[in-house]
Amino acid sequence: MALGAGIPSLRPPSCPTQSNCIEPTGSQLAILYSGLALFAIGAGGLRPCNIAFGADQLDTKTEKGRAQLESFCNWWYFLFTVALLVALTVVVYIQTNISWFLGFVIPTVCFAFSLTIFLWGLNTYVRSKPKGSIITDLVKVAVAAGRKRHVKLDSELSFHDPPLASESEQSLTKLAHTNRFRYFDKAAVVTDPSERDSNEKTVDSWRLCSVQQVEELKSILATLPVWLAGIICFFSMGQASSFGILQALQTNKSIGPNFSVPPAWMGLVPMIALSLWIFLYEKIYVPWTMKATKRGKRLSIENRILIGILFSIACMVVSGLVEVHRRDDALKHGSFESPSSIWWLVPQFALSGLVEAFAAIPMMELLTSYWPESMKTLGGATFFLSLSIANYLNTILVRIVVAVTRNSRRPWLGGNDLNKNRLEYYYYTIAVLGGLNLLYFQFFARHYLHTEMLQRPGRNEAEDEEKQ
C-alpha cells in the first residue's frame, strides 16, 4: 500500500478535473487489491491469535492467573484503543495535510517494529503445540451422538475417557465429565468393544469420541447464550459511527470563532471513554479494593456484561432524547444545521464507549478464558465474529425500518436530512431490543454463565465459599 501511494507508476495520475480522470491500469489495480488482501489475511491471522497467545502466557488454572488474564484483556483493549486514537488523529492528519505516502509508511514501520519485538522474545514465550482441527473434533462429536441417538443413558454405561497422552495434549487440562447437554454424552458411550483397539484407542473417531472432546463441545454450547446476549448489546455500539456522525453533521460544530470540530472526530469520544474507564479500573478501583479487602476484588464477567447491557439501553435512550432536542432546534430556526452545540452529542458517544468497555471486553475474556485451552484461538475469532454479526444484523434492522416507515408522513430513516426523519424512534427501537435482551440475560443466559464458571479449571473450595 505504501509503494502504491509513493511510486507514481503504481497509481493513476491526478485528475485534471473531476469529470476527466484516467482510470487505473490492470497492474495498478492488482497492486491495490494485493495490499488490501494482505491486510485481510494479516488481520485474520493476528486479531484472534494474539489474544489467545497472550492468554497462553498465564496460568489460568489459578486465581492469580485468572486475575492476570482479566488485566491482560483490559490492557490489550486499552492499547488497541490508543492505537486507533493515534491512527485516526496523527496518521490521518499526516495523510491529509502532509503526505499520503508518509501516512502509509508510518504504520508500515510500526508493523516492522512489532515484528522485531515478537521475534526478539520468541524463545521466551509459552508456545502450545497444535492439537489439530478443533472444528473437526466438534463435528465428530455431533455426528457420533447422532449415530448413537437411540442409546439410553444410564449409570451402567461405559464412557471412552482415555488419558491425555499425546504430546500435543499434555499441556491441556483434563476436563471432567459433566451432566449438562447430556445428549452429546452418547458420542462417548462404548456400545461395542470393537469400537476400540487393544490399546484402548478409538477405531472410528466419527462413531466414538472421548469425554474430552464431548466436554469441549459442551463448553462452547454453555457460553453461546451469553454470546448471543453480547451480539444484541453490540447494536448500540454501531450507532455512534453511523447515525451519530450524521447527527454531528447537522449540529453547530463551532468551538470559538476560528475552529470547527470535524464530525468524524466524534468517533474519538467512545475510545477516550473506554480507555479512561480501563485506566481508572486497573489503577484506582482494583488497588483500592486491594487495600480495603487485602485482596483485589474485581467485577465478575456476569456483572460487567449486565452493566454493559444497561449502558446499551441508556445509550439509545439518551441518543433519542438528544436527537429530539437537536431536530426541534433546527426546525425552530428553519435551518439544516441545528444551532445546538455538538457537545450535546458527547454523552451518547461516551456511553457507547462504556458499552464496549463493560460488554465487549468481558465477552472477549469469557471466550478466551472459559473455553478449553485448545480453543482459545477459536474463542478470539468468535469474539470478532460477534462484532461482525452485530453489524450485519444492524444493517438488516435499518432496511426493515426504512421499508416499514417509508410511506409514513415522516419516515424514521432515509434521505439526506435528519430533520425530516424521526431518528429517535429508531433509537428507541434498539432500546426496546436492549430491554428484551436484559430480560433474556437476567432470566436465561446468566444461568449458563454460572454453570460454565462452576466447571472452569482450577476452581477450588475457597472460591466456592466466597461465592456462597
Side-chain angles (χ1 to χ4, degrees):
M1 295 296 291
L3 291 175
I7 301 177
S9 62
L10 297 182
R11 66 179 190 273
S14 301
C15 299
T17 63
Q18 291 185 354
S19 60
N20 186 24
C21 289
I22 299 176
E23 293 187 358
T25 64
S27 59
Q28 290 172 342
L29 286 175
I31 292 293
L32 174 64
Y33 291 147
S34 296
L36 294 175
L38 290 172
F39 271 140
I41 295 172
L46 178 64
R47 287 192 176 186
C49 294
N50 65 350
I51 301 172
F53 190 72
D56 284 342
Q57 313 310 307
L58 306 172
D59 185 7
T60 56
K61 300 175 185 178
T62 65
E63 182 180 358
K64 180 180 179 181
R66 288 191 293 273
Q68 290 174 334
L69 177 61
E70 182 183 334
S71 289
F72 168 76
C73 291
N74 282 333
W75 287 119
W76 182 94
Y77 225 97
F78 176 84
L79 293 174
F80 178 72
T81 304
V82 170
L84 284 176
L85 284 170
V86 174
L88 294 175
T89 53
V90 178
V91 177
V92 169
Y93 177 84
I94 291 174
Q95 286 181 331
T96 306
N97 299 284
I98 300 177
S99 170
W100 186 253
F101 172 62
L102 182 59
F104 279 108
V105 169
I106 291 175
T108 304
V109 172
C110 289
F111 274 122
F113 183 62
S114 67
L115 178 61
T116 302
I117 294 176
F118 180 76
L119 294 177
W120 189 16
L122 195 60
N123 293 328
T124 66
Y125 301 138
V126 175
R127 288 184 283 175
S128 301
K129 294 186 177 181
K131 179 178 178 292
S133 174
I134 298 299
I135 301 296
T136 301
D137 287 346
L138 300 179
V139 174
K140 284 181 178 179
V141 174
V143 171
R147 295 173 71 175
K148 296 181 178 180
R149 59 187 177 277
H150 299 302
V151 174
K152 294 183 178 180
L153 298 174
D154 55 50
S155 58
E156 298 180 357
L157 292 174
S158 174
F159 290 100
H160 179 53
D161 191 16
L164 301 178
S166 66
E167 186 177 358
S168 62
E169 294 177 335
Q170 289 178 355
S171 61
L172 302 180
T173 300
K174 186 72 165 62
L175 300 179
H177 176 257
T178 63
N179 290 322
R180 55 185 179 178
F181 307 111
R182 295 200 64 197
Y183 170 81
F184 295 101
D185 286 343
K186 298 178 181 182
V189 173
V190 180
T191 58
D192 192 325
S194 63
E195 292 179 337
R196 296 188 292 189
D197 59 19
S198 58
N199 295 321
E200 299 295 316
K201 293 183 178 180
T202 302
V203 175
D204 183 1
S205 59
W206 291 90
R207 184 170 183 83
L208 179 64
C209 300
S210 66
V211 171
Q212 179 78 8
Q213 291 173 301
V214 172
E215 291 302 322
E216 286 176 345
L217 176 60
K218 289 181 178 181
S219 295
I220 291 181
L221 296 177
T223 53
L224 281 183
V226 184
W227 181 67
L228 293 175
I231 291 177
I232 303 301
C233 189
F234 297 157
F235 268 32
S236 61
M237 285 169 44
Q239 307 311 315
S241 59
S242 55
F243 292 106
I245 300 298
L246 294 180
Q247 287 178 279
L249 284 169
Q250 293 188 233
T251 56
N252 180 14
K253 296 171 283 295
S254 299
I255 298 180
N258 301 317
F259 183 76
S260 179
V261 177
W265 278 18
M266 294 303 296
L268 303 177
V269 176
M271 302 180 193
I272 295 173
L274 183 149
S275 302
L276 184 60
W277 160 250
I278 293 176
F279 184 83
L280 293 176
Y281 178 74
E282 291 289 344
K283 291 300 183 181
I284 296 180
Y285 175 80
V286 174
W288 175 77
T289 59
M290 182 75 72
K291 293 180 180 179
T293 64
K294 304 301 181 183
R295 53 183 298 180
K297 185 174 179 59
R298 311 180 75 92
L299 295 173
S300 67
I301 289 180
E302 176 188 349
N303 289 335
R304 281 181 286 159
I305 293 178
L306 181 61
I307 294 172
I309 295 175
L310 292 173
F311 272 133
S312 70
I313 299 172
C315 178
M316 291 297 93
V317 172
V318 170
S319 299
L321 295 175
V322 170
E323 172 59 16
V324 171
H325 172 80
R326 186 210 62 79
R327 188 188 62 245
D328 290 349
D329 209 8
L331 294 176
K332 179 180 178 181
H333 291 81
S335 58
F336 175 81
E337 184 179 287
S338 173
S340 299
S341 173
I342 197 171
W343 292 111
W344 278 87
L345 301 177
V346 169
Q348 69 188 65
F349 278 87
L351 284 170
S352 177
L354 293 177
V355 172
E356 192 168 3
F358 281 94
I361 297 178
M363 190 65 62
M364 180 177 67
E365 181 186 342
L366 175 69
L367 296 176
T368 55
S369 62
Y370 293 106
W371 280 16
E373 288 97 326
S374 59
M375 297 184 178
K376 286 180 179 178
T377 301
L378 180 63
T382 303
F383 167 73
F384 287 105
L385 177 64
S386 64
L387 298 177
S388 300
I389 292 176
N391 287 331
Y392 283 121
L393 292 177
N394 191 48
T395 301
I396 294 174
L397 178 62
V398 168
R399 294 194 175 188
I400 292 174
V401 169
V402 170
V404 171
T405 65
R406 178 184 302 160
N407 297 324
S408 60
R409 187 175 64 88
R410 178 175 289 179
W412 295 8
L413 301 173
N416 299 319
D417 187 357
L418 292 180
N419 298 333
K420 299 178 180 179
N421 295 336
R422 300 304 297 263
L423 178 60
E424 70 274 15
Y425 290 167
Y426 171 71
Y427 284 148
Y428 295 154
T429 300
I430 299 180
V432 171
L433 292 177
L436 295 176
N437 189 39
L438 176 62
L439 296 176
Y440 163 76
F441 181 80
Q442 187 74 12
F443 297 104
F444 181 75
R446 68 188 303 175
H447 167 74
Y448 290 89
L449 187 59
H450 280 303
T451 303
E452 180 62 18
M453 289 184 175
L454 288 171
Q455 302 294 339
R456 69 188 182 185
R459 185 177 177 86
N460 51 45
E461 294 179 0
E463 289 181 88
D464 291 333
E465 293 175 0
E466 181 182 353
K467 181 68 177 178
Q468 292 174 0

